Amino acid sequence: DDVPRASGPARLALRTGAACVVATAAPTPDGDLVVDVARIDRPHGGGDPVVLLTQAFATALEARIRAIPTEWPWMHARHGHSNVSY
C-alpha cells in the first residue's frame, strides 16, 4: 500500500542493533492498566530491511488497534467520517 509510515524506528533499530518492540497500553475491566509488549523479529530475505521492518512494526501496531479500537486515540477521519470532537 501507499500509506506513509515513519521509518525512523526501523532505521535506528537496524543501525544500533536495538531490540524491536511495539508496546501498547489498555485498561482492564477493573480499571488497571496493562501494557502489552510484542517483540518484532528482524526481517530476513530479500527486500529493503528498513521497509520490511517498518511494515512489521505497522502490522503489529495494527493488530493491537484492531484488538482494542475504542482505546486508540483517533486523530483523523476514519471510514469517511470524523469522530474527533473539539
Side-chain angles (χ1 to χ4, degrees), residues 46 80 84:
V84 177

Side-chain angles (χ1 to χ4, degrees), residues 23-55:
T24 56
T28 63
D30 62 356
D32 288 338
L33 190 62
V34 174
V35 176
D36 179 81
V37 180
R39 184 179 180 101
I40 307 301
D41 293 326
R42 294 182 186 281
H44 300 286
D48 181 342
V50 172
V51 172
L52 295 172
L53 188 53
T54 299
Q55 181 59 50

Side-chain angles (χ1 to χ4, degrees), residues 69-70 72-86:
T70 58
W72 191 253
W74 296 105
M75 304 299 221
H76 61 280
R78 296 186 309 150
H79 311 293
H81 65 277
S82 176
N83 61 347
V84 177
S85 59
Y86 297 97

